[in-house]
Amino acid sequence: LLAAGPGPGRAGVERERRDALREELLLSPLPTGDVAATFQFRTRWDADLQRGAVSHYRLFPKALGRLVAALGVRELHLALTQGFWRTRYWGQPPLQAPAGAELWVWFQPTVTDVDKAWKELSNILSGIFCASLNFIDSTNTVIPTASFKPLGLANGTDHHLLRYAVLPREVVCTENLTPWKKLLPCGSKAGLAVLLKAERLFHSSYHSQAVHIRPVCRDASCLAVSWELRQTLTVVFDFFSSGQGKKDWSLFKMFSRTLTDTCPLASQSKVYVDISPKNKEKELLEVSPAPTSIHEAIVQGDKKTYAVYDLLSPSLFNTSRSLNVQLKWKRPQDSSEMPIPILHAQRYVAGYGLQTGEICTLIYNTHPYRAFPVILLETVPWYLRLYVHTLTIITKGKENKPSYIHYQPAQDRRRPHLLEMLIQLPANSVTKITIQFERALLKWTEYPPDPNHGFYVGSSVLSALVPSVTAMKDVDVEQSPLFTSLFPSSDGSSYFVRLYTEPLLVNLPTPDFSMPYNVICLTCTVVAVCYGSFYNLLTRTFHVEEPSRGGLAKRLANVIRKFRGVPPL
Amino acid sequence: AAPVQVQLVVPIAVVFGPGSVPADLPRPLPFRDVQEMEISVNLRTSVTSRYEMLYRSTTAQEEAALAAATAREADSALHPLQDATLGSLTMYVVPETSSLLPQGINVYVGKHRSALVRAGRSLAALQAHVRQVTQVMSFTATSIAAALSDRVPDGQLSPDARRYLKSSLGYEITFSLLNPDPKSHTVDWDIEGAVNRYVRPVLDKLSLVANFSVDSQILYYAVLGVTPRYDKESSSFLLSAHSLPHVINPVEARLGSSAASLYPVLNFLLYVPERSHSPLYIQDKDGAPVSTNAFHSPRWGGIMVYNVEAPASPQASLPLHVDVDMARVMEVFLAQLRLLFGLSREELPPEFLLESPGNEGLADWELDHLLWAHTVENIATVSTTLTSLAQLLDKIGNIVIKDDVASEVYRAVASVQSAVAKLAMGHLHSAFQASKEAVTSSEKAFFDPSLLHLLYFPDDQKFAIYIPLFLPMAVPILLSLAKIVRETRQRKKDPTKMD
């Protein structure tokens, strides 16, 4: 009987603990002197949301769980971003997102009307996150064929189940952060989320918050499905300019808070600080207090060293009540020796006048000896009419023929242009892609408020498997830090990168919207003045007789006076 | 509000057992009789109820069933013999001396649609009893007035009546476990089992009324909006009744809206107080602790405080593991659910005995009670919706009514007419279905995006645009009018100067 005693109790605990929360903060000094902080909160739930029977939530937020179950979502990725990640200067981000709002969703094969589900989903998400996602409609939704593959478990990749939309005009602010924080099991009351103070987070060069929901393998054998919710938040603080040229920083300086306690629900809670030595110089920087451990990993082709603070380890809070990670540079570092990322890109609008223009994209491959292909996805609104015959791709002075092109022309007021190309980038090269367009005239009701501000064209998306300089070894996804594990790593020799270029701001021929009112005012005034003088003429009685012949008005008046039976003037 | 005239017909069979036939029957059995009752709500809303009574004597089978030892046995034996249609009632009259009913009890209401009534001395006494039972088992003037609470003038309705949930096509029930202090308590609740065991049977029964979906969540660090008062005498914390309205708001923000559906949400919250605030008790208006330690909020849901016993030794390691006693919790929540639906079993004379609904949580006649109220409410809602739609159309002359909106309006009118007709025929179930369809159609028409008021250019703005025309044109006219006035005055003053 004693032996049997703990049995059901243990089973009960096992049953309840089917979900787990891991939280993680990655602090990485950027080459320019800025500091990037990346939060990741991962809730994993060993239950199949799709089966419909699940309705009892613990750590997984109910609002999102119900959404996934009700609308047949297979995978959902939503990012709200303010600012632009400068890949050229900041290096490869762990997670990048385009400026504005980005939403891409894979639906289940059981969903019959994907467009309807997509519309409903974007409306509900806009309610949950207080964002204008309800502006997603057919004019900004595309179905990419190659760029976006499911990141989680998927048995089919029929791209008709995929929808992708970007709203580059979306402004991200506190009202988007609050609902995002509310989805965390500990809210912002304990754990790493304590640092998420809105007034500091939005006082930064770059702010990007995202939600990723996907099904993952429950274990190595992958016989059952678990659902994973990743909430990520990336901020870039500019300390170089505000800190009198010093690159020293601390948690308190960044967030004006320190870590005091852990979230009791988290099964892992860690702070990683990137202390990788640059240019083989040893130990340029110094972190305090002493880290719990040192983690070495190969992240995005680079060997990195991280100082790890495990908030769950009892020794950490024993010595002091709060954790304020500080970083000091031992000697000033000259910023000229910035490493240049292997793949980066740039985009701009060329041309003059309000009739035609040209979109230019420059893609750089700085790898010394390896060529690699990249998939470029361009979504252009219908009011920029692309001329596909003007599409030119030039690398090192020669024409570069893409090995795959998918082009879907726009339909006015119905759908945008979609251009997807697979382009081979030779080693150490710059590829210039240009395409000309004509600006369409919109109907007067179609202009947004403040049309002279210009019209945004969403970022183009570059997806590539970038060859790695150092070989990577396969690691267990469950054990490795969260920031390495969202994108699947294919093999040891290359790593996946998704880059977004700058959004474009294009001026369209804009009518003077006050014109109709001006015209009404002017004509009305003229009519009123004429009316007034005529009225005076017709109603006044003139007494003074002039010897000279009267003008036209007088003769007209005399004619009328004759009709009236009054003696003429 | 738009005029609503409804007649509710309740078919009742009054069955006389052997030895219970009163002496002063006007006619030999069987015979029919009709009684009408007027329920006044307001001037434009009239609800008449019409009880169609059929008096007859028992059949042999019923007689055998009535010979059972207890009322409960008789009730279950009589059930297969009755008219099972919704809304119809059967009263079995037992002799005055019958031992079927306990001492002092004159009326026994069973689990289904029947009641046992002790025969009075006269037919009039019996009829008074029958009327009372009928009202309990179908509807009372108050329950109808509560259903039409939007139309009842303020102050005439008891506050209780306003707590009932509005009729809807569906409801979402959310059980939330609030654990504000996960550092000291790990709370586990077997909500899945409890829902299957206690809530499901009730909802299965209620599925006739509306669609129900049930889910649950656990919210951490969710605190009540009020800091409880420490009471030294009992060394416990107290929440007084007047502070309860402030409790819900901060919690509500965490509950999460039902983004995926439009149905109203019923929230049932189980609050495990922080260690620094336990034990926590709710006080009623007189300062006495509430025995269930729970309270409900009208049309919103209920909250129960679940105190964790302090560990025997203060050195016990934190967090403390708590397994919630779901039977205790669900008992409270189910009682609150009944309250929210207006199915409380209070306010009955002592001579009434109500059979407990048992496992199903709901007797058949209670279901009818809901259906009556909801049908009347739906009809009133449709009438209000369509009237306001008509008012909107009157206000904007150039509004465009699309064909599908028009057909929804026609369908709503047809359905509501059929609902009223079915009610007058005593077909409760089909009347309820028709009224539901009418609500759906009328809401669809009313909330059609093409009928948005703002889509139409208001007339006053059109005038504003032409002000640059009208204003300068008005100046000479006004000036000459002023001149004419001046001249006429001059002329009156000085008539000789006229030429």
Side-chain angles (χ1 to χ4, degrees):
Chain A
L1 199 108
L2 271 175
R10 278 289 289 277
V13 170
E14 291 290 298
R15 194 197 59 227
E16 294 289 335
R17 295 280 173 276
R18 285 182 313 185
D19 43 3
L21 170 75
R22 285 172 68 184
E23 52 176 21
E24 173 182 300
L25 166 62
L26 167 68
L27 296 163
S28 36
L30 298 176
T32 48
D34 306 289
V35 186
T38 307
F39 292 85
Q40 286 216 21
F41 300 89
R42 192 190 76 157
T43 311
R44 215 187 93 150
W45 191 13
D46 293 346
D48 195 353
L49 278 174
Q50 296 295 344
R51 293 283 137 79
V54 178
S55 49
H56 304 289
Y57 297 86
R58 202 177 82 96
L59 296 179
F60 204 90
K62 183 168 79 93
L64 292 182
R66 294 201 53 169
L67 191 66
V68 168
L71 293 174
V73 174
R74 165 123 228 140
E75 214 171 274
L76 184 149
H77 303 271
L78 166 73
L80 298 167
T81 310
Q82 184 75 18
F84 175 67
W85 182 277
R86 299 185 290 154
T87 314
R88 169 73 179 74
Y89 302 101
W90 291 348
Q92 242 24 290
L95 291 161
Q96 212 192 345
E102 182 201 41
L103 176 66
W104 59 284
V105 177
W106 279 92
F107 288 94
Q108 296 279 1
T110 48
V111 177
T112 46
D113 192 347
V114 178
D115 286 314
K116 189 170 159 254
W118 168 247
K119 182 84 207 143
E120 209 168 318
L121 178 76
S122 53
N123 277 321
I124 295 174
L125 283 176
S126 87
I128 295 179
F129 291 101
C130 291
S132 335
L133 298 171
N134 51 330
F135 284 100
I136 290 177
D137 55 11
S138 69
T139 61
N140 45 29
T141 302
V142 289
I143 307 174
T145 54
S147 296
F148 290 92
K149 294 282 167 235
L151 294 185
L153 213 68
N155 33 18
T157 53
D158 177 10
H159 60 257
H160 291 291
L161 300 169
L162 169 68
R163 292 293 181 276
Y164 174 82
V166 174
L167 298 174
R169 222 183 137 103
E170 178 73 15
V171 178
V172 183
C173 203
T174 326
E175 78 265 19
N176 307 114
L177 181 70
T178 312
W180 184 90
K181 278 201 289 197
K182 228 157 64 176
L183 298 177
L184 296 172
C186 276
S188 49
K189 299 273 172 50
L192 296 177
V194 170
L195 300 176
L196 299 171
K197 198 175 166 190
E199 61 185 87
R200 300 296 303 165
L201 294 184
F202 289 102
H203 191 77
S204 58
S205 325
Y206 177 81
H207 171 101
S208 172
Q209 60 184 71
V211 171
H212 304 272
I213 301 175
R214 59 173 184 171
V216 292
C217 286
R218 192 166 295 182
D219 46 30
S221 60
C222 207
L223 291 171
V225 175
S226 293
W227 281 79
E228 183 195 76
L229 164 71
R230 253 175 217 252
Q231 291 181 254
T232 67
L233 188 139
T234 310
V235 230
V236 176
F237 292 102
D238 183 357
F239 278 103
F240 200 50
S241 58
S242 61
Q244 292 96 37
K246 276 191 195 163
K247 290 184 184 176
D248 304 343
W249 52 260
S250 67
L251 278 185
F252 187 76
K253 262 196 202 167
M254 280 194 276
F255 302 103
S256 68
R257 300 243 174 110
T258 53
L259 291 171
T260 47
D261 56 353
T262 54
C263 171
L265 310 166
S267 56
Q268 188 202 60
S269 184
K270 282 181 177 169
V271 179
Y272 290 85
V273 183
D274 184 356
I275 50 165
S276 336
K278 309 248 155 51
N279 305 329
K280 296 177 189 69
E281 288 175 71
K282 273 274 169 198
E283 287 296 308
L284 256 177
L285 26 75
E286 158 182 298
V287 280
S288 66
T292 333
S293 61
I294 299 286
H295 177 79
E296 289 201 355
I298 292 159
V299 179
Q300 293 178 329
D302 268 338
K303 203 168 173 206
K304 299 264 184 179
T305 316
Y306 296 100
V308 186
Y309 297 89
D310 188 352
L311 300 189
L312 293 186
S313 95
S315 60
L316 194 68
F317 287 115
N318 272 357
T319 44
S320 70
R321 288 184 58 82
S322 71
L323 173 69
N324 181 20
V325 179
Q326 282 179 314
L327 186 135
K328 276 201 176 68
W329 294 82
K330 279 186 177 161
R331 57 186 166 81
Q333 181 203 35
D334 41 345
S335 50
S336 61
E337 45 192 282
M338 278 194 294
I340 294 173
I342 290 178
L343 173 72
H344 59 100
Q346 205 185 335
R347 192 163 74 138
Y348 55 89
V349 188
Y352 54 87
L354 283 176
Q355 200 190 348
T356 56
E358 194 177 59
I359 296 177
C360 293
T361 313
L362 297 172
I363 307 176
Y364 297 84
N365 174 8
T366 61
H367 199 286
Y369 51 86
R370 286 279 301 268
F372 58 87
V374 61
I375 300 176
L376 172 76
L377 169 85
E378 226 15 294
T379 323
V380 180
W382 62 267
Y383 39 80
L384 301 185
R385 300 205 165 108
L386 292 185
Y387 296 134
V388 196
H389 69 277
T390 62
L391 175 70
T392 53
I393 305 164
I394 290 167
T395 318
K396 291 181 170 171
K398 275 182 290 182
E399 198 188 332
N400 185 343
K401 218 168 152 41
S403 42
Y404 168 79
I405 286 197
H406 170 74
Y407 176 66
Q408 194 188 38
Q411 284 176 354
D412 279 7
R413 297 174 183 86
R414 218 158 320 133
R415 66 169 193 217
H417 300 273
L418 168 70
L419 180 61
E420 266 186 304
M421 294 185 285
L422 183 67
I423 305 167
Q424 189 73 23
L425 303 180
N428 209 357
S429 68
V430 184
T431 306
K432 184 175 185 184
I433 302 159
T434 59
I435 186 164
Q436 288 179 5
F437 64 85
E438 188 188 72
R439 297 162 213 245
L441 264 175
L442 300 183
K443 291 180 184 163
W444 69 280
T445 47
E446 285 169 347
Y447 286 92
D450 189 15
N452 289 307
H453 176 75
F455 288 74
Y456 284 95
V457 178
S459 314
S460 47
V461 187
L462 292 167
S463 319
L465 279 174
V466 176
S468 173
V469 182
T470 33
M472 294 187 285
K473 45 181 193 290
D474 258 353
V475 279
D476 182 13
V477 179
E478 274 305 302
Q479 298 307 316
S480 59
L482 294 176
F483 57 85
T484 60
S485 59
L486 183 62
F487 291 117
S489 59
S490 57
D491 53 43
S493 63
S494 57
Y495 58 94
F496 182 81
V497 167
R498 179 166 291 149
L499 281 189
Y500 294 89
T501 62
E502 298 91 338
L504 300 178
L505 188 57
V506 181
N507 266 315
L508 287 196
T510 310
D512 175 9
F513 285 104
S514 61
M515 191 266 283
Y517 188 69
N518 291 347
V519 169
I520 289 176
C521 279
L522 198 71
T523 41
C524 289
T525 316
V526 170
V527 168
V529 167
C530 293
Y531 170 81
S533 47
F534 265 107
Y535 179 84
N536 273 341
L537 208 59
L538 302 183
T539 53
R540 286 236 170 114
T541 41
F542 296 91
H543 291 289
V544 182
E545 208 145 318
E546 283 291 323
S548 63
R549 282 171 60 224
L552 176 72
K554 190 174 174 185
R555 260 186 275 165
L556 204 63
N558 278 340
V559 171
I560 295 166
R561 288 172 84 88
K562 201 183 263 174
F563 276 117
R564 286 169 62 203
V566 186
L569 299 171
Chain B
V4 168
Q5 273 162 12
V6 189
Q7 192 180 39
L8 309 174
V9 172
V10 191
I12 304 165
V14 181
V15 183
F16 293 99
S20 65
V21 185
D24 54 350
L25 274 187
R27 267 169 283 171
L29 293 173
F31 66 93
R32 286 177 183 277
D33 186 18
V34 170
Q35 289 184 7
E36 291 207 6
M37 188 180 81
E38 183 84 21
I39 300 170
S40 69
V41 178
N42 65 9
L43 290 176
R44 316 196 62 188
T45 314
S46 83
V47 180
T48 42
S49 54
R50 190 180 152 91
Y51 302 106
E52 292 184 353
M53 329 267 258
L54 165 68
Y55 294 90
R56 63 176 173 88
S57 51
T58 46
T59 60
Q61 283 168 313
E62 286 168 338
E63 213 164 295
L66 282 172
T70 63
R72 184 174 300 160
E73 283 166 26
D75 183 48
S76 54
L78 285 168
H79 180 223
L81 307 175
Q82 288 157 20
D83 179 9
T85 50
L86 282 85
S88 64
L89 302 171
T90 315
M91 313 278 167
Y92 296 96
V93 184
V94 294
E96 178 118 43
T97 52
S98 167
S99 58
L100 211 51
L101 300 178
Q103 202 65 45
I105 297 294
N106 282 336
V107 173
Y108 166 86
V109 180
K111 276 162 78 167
H112 307 287
R113 296 187 174 84
S114 68
L116 302 180
V117 183
R118 207 187 281 273
R121 296 236 165 65
S122 64
L123 182 63
L126 177 70
Q127 274 176 340
H129 268 145
V130 166
R131 194 177 309 128
Q132 224 170 349
V133 181
T134 311
Q135 291 197 359
V136 167
M137 293 176 74
S138 57
F139 49 86
T140 57
T142 13
S143 75
I144 293 297
L148 298 171
S149 57
D150 292 344
R151 294 162 175 264
V152 178
D154 278 337
Q156 284 194 13
L157 207 57
S158 67
D160 270 0
R162 295 202 187 268
R163 80 178 159 220
Y164 305 147
L165 283 164
K166 301 246 83 183
S167 166
S168 161
L169 301 180
Y171 299 93
E172 287 191 26
I173 299 179
T174 301
F175 294 98
S176 306
L177 172 65
L178 307 188
N179 184 0
D181 192 6
K183 270 206 152 56
S184 349
H185 301 139
T186 17
V187 186
D188 275 329
W189 65 342
D190 178 21
I191 183 69
E192 208 164 342
V195 164
N196 288 336
R197 203 167 321 132
Y198 306 109
V199 185
R200 274 281 153 228
V202 182
L203 296 187
D204 285 345
K205 195 108 198 212
L206 278 173
S207 63
L208 205 64
V209 179
N211 300 322
F212 286 90
S213 71
V214 183
D215 51 22
S216 79
Q217 59 183 346
I218 303 183
L219 297 173
Y220 299 93
Y221 291 102
V223 286
L224 302 181
V226 181
T227 319
R229 188 167 52 81
Y230 182 67
D231 183 47
K232 267 187 198 154
E233 272 174 46
S234 57
S235 70
S236 60
F237 290 83
L238 298 176
L239 269 179
S240 53
H242 67 86
S243 65
L244 292 182
H246 310 289
V247 162
I248 295 170
N249 276 359
V251 177
E252 172 110 62
R254 288 283 311 273
L255 288 179
S257 54
S258 60
S261 89
L262 298 170
Y263 296 146
V265 183
L266 290 178
N267 288 294
F268 292 103
L269 270 50
L270 184 68
Y271 182 77
V272 180
E274 299 111 303
R275 226 170 109 69
S276 54
H277 282 166
S278 31
L280 176 68
Y281 295 106
I282 298 174
Q283 274 184 324
D284 63 11
K285 285 195 182 75
D286 310 323
V290 177
S291 62
T292 54
N293 220 5
F295 67 98
H296 78 275
S297 170
R299 293 185 185 170
W300 183 84
I303 297 186
M304 179 181 179
V305 177
Y306 189 91
N307 284 314
V308 175
E309 289 114 57
S313 64
Q315 279 83 34
S317 71
L318 292 177
L320 215 63
H321 188 88
V322 183
D323 257 317
V324 176
D325 175 11
M326 291 311 281
R328 206 179 103 199
V329 172
M330 279 300 161
E331 191 188 351
V332 174
F333 283 163
L334 280 182
Q336 287 176 337
L337 185 73
R338 293 176 61 97
L339 263 182
L340 291 168
F341 275 107
L343 294 176
S344 68
R345 297 182 148 201
E346 298 146 17
E347 302 140 22
L348 282 179
E351 51 181 357
F352 275 58
L353 178 68
L354 264 57
E355 180 59 58
S356 87
N359 223 2
E360 291 166 324
L362 206 66
D364 285 347
W365 56 267
E366 286 177 307
L367 192 68
D368 292 354
H369 191 92
L370 263 185
L371 285 180
W372 285 115
H374 279 200
T375 311
V376 172
E377 189 185 337
N378 284 348
I379 291 171
T381 313
V382 173
S383 152
T384 313
T385 313
L386 292 180
T387 315
S388 25
L389 183 60
Q391 277 168 359
L392 177 80
L393 303 192
D394 281 344
K395 221 174 359 181
I396 310 168
N398 57 350
I399 203 162
V400 180
I401 302 285
K402 289 192 196 154
D403 283 352
D404 53 336
V405 177
S407 69
E408 289 296 344
V409 172
Y410 286 129
R411 198 173 305 146
V413 172
S415 304
V416 85
Q417 278 170 345
S418 107
V420 171
K422 294 270 169 57
L423 273 184
M425 282 151 65
H427 298 165
L428 177 59
H429 189 229
S430 47
F432 177 69
Q433 295 297 348
S435 75
K436 266 208 306 203
E437 281 159 30
V439 169
T440 321
S441 298
S442 66
E443 303 273 291
K444 219 187 263 175
F446 187 76
F447 291 108
D448 194 88
S450 72
L451 295 186
L452 202 60
H453 183 236
L454 294 176
L455 288 181
Y456 292 90
F457 207 63
D459 283 335
D460 42 353
Q461 289 201 9
K462 280 182 203 155
F463 285 117
I465 285 178
Y466 287 104
I467 278 213
L469 179 65
F470 293 138
L471 211 62
M473 273 168 70
V475 170
I477 298 178
L478 292 178
L479 281 179
S480 52
L481 279 179
K483 199 179 160 198
I484 290 171
V485 171
R486 213 168 43 233
E487 280 178 359
T488 29
R489 265 198 213 141
Q490 197 85 41
R491 223 173 282 163
K492 271 186 193 156
K493 223 189 262 172
D494 204 2
T496 50
K497 259 196 176 173
M498 243 179 83
D499 42 34

